[in-house]
């Protein structure tokens, strides 16, 4: 009986942690945004650094081109980029492959064209940037304030109005 209770308690804690990890929102405390590291290729842009992006609001979007959840978020990401790029928003798509064929730069370029992405895309074939963010999900949004701090995250689809409100709030803040 005691072992069943321990198992139930462990499953309850695991379920709560998973639920929390998949939620969106402002972080209790901000952390410095990791640099883009181990990038195989930059598409739609010269290489970018977090230091270069200081003073801008940055949306880092971890995605891969065959993930249906990622594909479903792209219209929102494109919309935010189009609406707010002239106000200081920089979107960086970090393409991190789930399958070996997604490592092909030509395949990523084809997907970028098919989805009409015009913002910078970093090809993270070795999961270096993924790892530096301690990321575990496709898609995953990390919002970085003008001081270079990760202040908001969202994993998975949904919460688009909340994410856009966070973008607008960060853009309105002074440097």
């Amino acid at each position: 009986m005691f072992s069943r209770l321990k198992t139930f308690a462990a499953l309850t804690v695991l379920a709560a942690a998973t639920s929390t990890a998949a939620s969106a929102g402002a972080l209790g405390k901000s952390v410095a945004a990791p640099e883009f590291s181990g990038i195989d290729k930059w598409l739609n842009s010269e290489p970018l650094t977090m230091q270069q992006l200081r003073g801008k609001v940055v949306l880092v979007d971890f995605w891969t081109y065959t993930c249906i959840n990622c594909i479903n978020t792209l219209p929102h990401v494109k919309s935010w980029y189009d609406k707010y790029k002239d106000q200081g928003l920089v979107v960086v798509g970090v393409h991190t492959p789930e399958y070996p064929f997604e490592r092909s730069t030509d395949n990523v370029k084809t997907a970028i064209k098919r989805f009409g992405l015009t913002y910078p895309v970093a090809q993270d074939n070795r999961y270096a940037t993924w790892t530096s963010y301690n990321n575990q999900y496709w898609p995953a949004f990390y919002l970085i304030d003008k001081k270079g701090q990760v202040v908001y995250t969202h994993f998975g689809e949904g919460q688009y109005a909340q994410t856009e409100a966070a973008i607008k709030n960060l853009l309105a803040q002074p440097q």
Side-chain angles (χ1 to χ4, degrees), residues 48-84:
L48 297 172
T49 67
M50 282 298 163
Q51 188 61 40
Q52 284 175 301
L53 298 173
R54 251 335 124 74
K56 304 276 187 187
V57 173
V58 181
L59 173 64
V60 176
D61 174 23
F62 285 93
W63 70 292
T64 188
Y65 70 84
T66 63
C67 164
I68 190 63
N69 304 101
C70 298
I71 293 167
N72 290 341
T73 64
L74 290 176
H76 300 278
V77 176
K78 287 172 38 179
S79 173
W80 298 330
Y81 177 70
D82 291 340
K83 268 197 248 185
Y84 302 113

Side-chain angles (χ1 to χ4, degrees), residues 26-31 149-151:
L27 302 174
K29 67 177 196 176
S30 59
V31 295
Q149 301 290 303
V150 178
V151 295

Side-chain angles (χ1 to χ4, degrees), residues 24-171:
L27 302 174
K29 67 177 196 176
S30 59
V31 295
E35 276 296 341
F36 300 108
S37 58
I39 300 302
D40 295 270
K41 183 90 173 161
W42 282 90
L43 305 165
N44 293 342
S45 173
E46 292 299 314
L48 297 172
T49 67
M50 282 298 163
Q51 188 61 40
Q52 284 175 301
L53 298 173
R54 251 335 124 74
K56 304 276 187 187
V57 173
V58 181
L59 173 64
V60 176
D61 174 23
F62 285 93
W63 70 292
T64 188
Y65 70 84
T66 63
C67 164
I68 190 63
N69 304 101
C70 298
I71 293 167
N72 290 341
T73 64
L74 290 176
H76 300 278
V77 176
K78 287 172 38 179
S79 173
W80 298 330
Y81 177 70
D82 291 340
K83 268 197 248 185
Y84 302 113
K85 67 183 175 186
D86 294 333
Q87 297 174 43
L89 176 67
V90 175
V91 172
V92 178
V94 179
H95 184 274
T96 311
E98 185 174 8
Y99 302 107
F101 62 86
E102 293 174 324
R103 287 177 162 73
S104 162
T105 300
D106 287 338
N107 289 352
V108 177
K109 284 180 181 178
T110 299
I112 288 170
K113 185 175 181 177
R114 182 174 69 243
F115 297 127
L117 308 182
T118 58
Y119 50 81
V121 174
Q123 193 174 351
D124 187 26
N125 282 350
R126 292 172 282 163
Y127 285 64
T129 296
W130 171 285
T131 300
S132 66
Y133 275 79
N134 293 314
N135 190 46
Q136 300 178 39
Y137 308 102
W138 290 281
F141 297 153
Y142 293 83
L143 257 179
I144 299 154
D145 70 10
K146 295 174 185 178
K147 296 175 186 167
Q149 301 290 303
V150 178
V151 295
Y152 174 94
T153 60
H154 178 71
F155 308 115
E157 294 184 58
Q159 302 292 328
Y160 301 116
Q162 184 178 351
T163 301
E164 184 169 5
I167 291 169
K168 289 165 66 172
N169 181 46
L170 290 173
L171 289 170

